[in-house]
Amino acid sequence: MRKVRDYYFQKAKKDRYPARSIYKLEEVQKKYRLLRPGDSVLDLGCHPGSWSLYASEVVGPKGVVVGIDLQETAIAARPGGAAIHWFCGDIADPEQISRIRRIRPAFKVLLSDIAPRTTGNRWTDHQQSMRLAEQTLHLAGQLLHEKGHYLCKLFQGEETVSFIATLKEQFSLVKVIKPNSSRKESRELFVLGMEYRKTVDPQQR
Ligand SMILES: C[S@@+](CC[C@H](N)C(=O)[O-])C[C@H]1O[C@@H](n2cnc3c(N)ncnc32)[C@H](O)[C@@H]1O
């Protein structure tokens, strides 16, 4: 993660979040209210923990947050926030999914800020990002509640349109979002799916 000491980097430091990415989720939350008090939240690619920390504060003590990442994460939830369970592992590993299920069999909100290690090659980065995004959507099939919400980061490219079309089959409302706090030069964008339609045949996912 590049540490340009911009406005959001400084703000994250002041607000005691470990990464500036918090403000991307905050912006989406302020507009679409995908997180509600008492919700269960699964955060895929959670390290260093800003999104989970923010989600914990929004859902509050009756909610729960589970974060998973290839890297170890171990920061404490803030007072008044939901408990956060940190798992270290690959989202593609079925064993991790069993561990997550032991906390909650299903979640109201699935967040993914997951990103591959970037190479600088747009095509390669897009392809790797799309494989991860497909994996997160597969996990939604296994772990997201009926009428649950899904937010996922993508690196734009030729497969973006077909991914959005797939989301439109599975969610009642789909939005494509480029938050103000996302760097203009970055090819990242976020796709939001609201109100998951669990009735779609899992074989088609
Ligand atoms: C941009 S960071 C997430 C920042 C986080 N949302 C925050 O606010 O602190 C992307 C993360 O995705 C993780 N990641 C990439 N591939 C993964 C995989 N297959 N399984 C789990 N985590 C993965 C990386 O280790 C990295 O920490």
Side-chain angles (χ1 to χ4, degrees):
M1 223 176 287
R2 199 164 55 113
K3 286 202 174 160
V4 175
R5 290 172 188 273
D6 62 7
Y7 168 76
Y8 291 105
F9 175 86
Q10 298 296 352
K11 184 167 165 52
K13 216 169 144 189
K14 187 168 142 277
D15 295 342
R16 295 183 298 113
Y17 287 106
R20 71 191 289 293
S21 40
I22 144 77
Y23 303 109
K24 300 172 197 173
L25 177 59
E26 185 188 58
E27 207 175 313
V28 178
Q29 169 64 12
K30 283 190 171 155
K31 188 152 184 200
Y32 295 101
R33 303 270 164 214
L34 67 160
L35 300 164
R36 304 271 174 158
D39 278 352
S40 49
V41 182
L42 177 59
D43 182 12
L44 304 172
C46 63
H47 186 82
S50 288
W51 277 28
S52 289
L53 202 54
Y54 175 73
S56 157
E57 291 171 314
V58 176
V59 303
K62 291 189 176 154
V64 68
V65 177
V66 177
I68 177 164
D69 201 289
L70 294 171
Q71 303 179 69
E72 193 82 52
T73 316
I75 51 172
R78 293 186 180 163
I84 311 176
H85 301 263
W86 302 112
F87 291 130
C88 184
D90 191 324
I91 63 156
D93 178 356
E95 217 169 275
Q96 297 299 332
I97 307 314
S98 308
R99 287 177 75 199
I100 291 169
R101 277 210 167 108
R102 273 179 235 138
I103 306 291
R104 287 286 165 95
F107 292 79
K108 184 68 202 297
V109 181
L110 192 154
L111 304 173
S112 170
D113 190 26
I114 209 161
R117 195 177 279 272
T118 49
T119 62
N121 178 304
R122 271 186 188 185
W123 189 85
T124 307
D125 292 345
H126 167 62
Q127 288 296 318
Q128 289 181 352
S129 157
M130 293 313 299
R131 299 296 78 78
L132 286 167
E134 283 166 0
Q135 182 63 27
T136 68
L137 198 52
H138 173 68
L139 290 179
Q142 298 183 305
L143 294 166
L144 189 59
H145 273 298
E146 172 78 28
K147 292 193 186 292
H149 308 316
Y150 167 89
L151 178 68
C152 179
K153 175 160 81 184
L154 305 175
F155 292 154
Q156 293 175 67
E158 59 190 3
E159 290 184 29
T160 310
V161 171
S162 64
F163 189 78
I164 292 166
T166 304
L167 284 188
K168 285 183 175 166
E169 290 168 7
Q170 299 184 18
F171 292 87
S172 300
L173 175 81
V174 173
K175 294 282 175 190
V176 178
I177 303 159
K178 174 77 178 172
N180 290 327
S181 52
S182 173
R183 293 191 178 92
K184 301 286 169 284
E185 71 274 20
S186 164
R187 292 187 62 79
E188 75 177 5
L189 54 75
F190 292 82
V191 285
L192 172 67
M194 297 193 82
E195 304 218 345
Y196 189 47
R197 298 196 204 107
K198 197 91 182 169
T199 48
V200 174
D201 180 357
Q203 296 299 318
Q204 293 173 10
R205 286 186 192 133

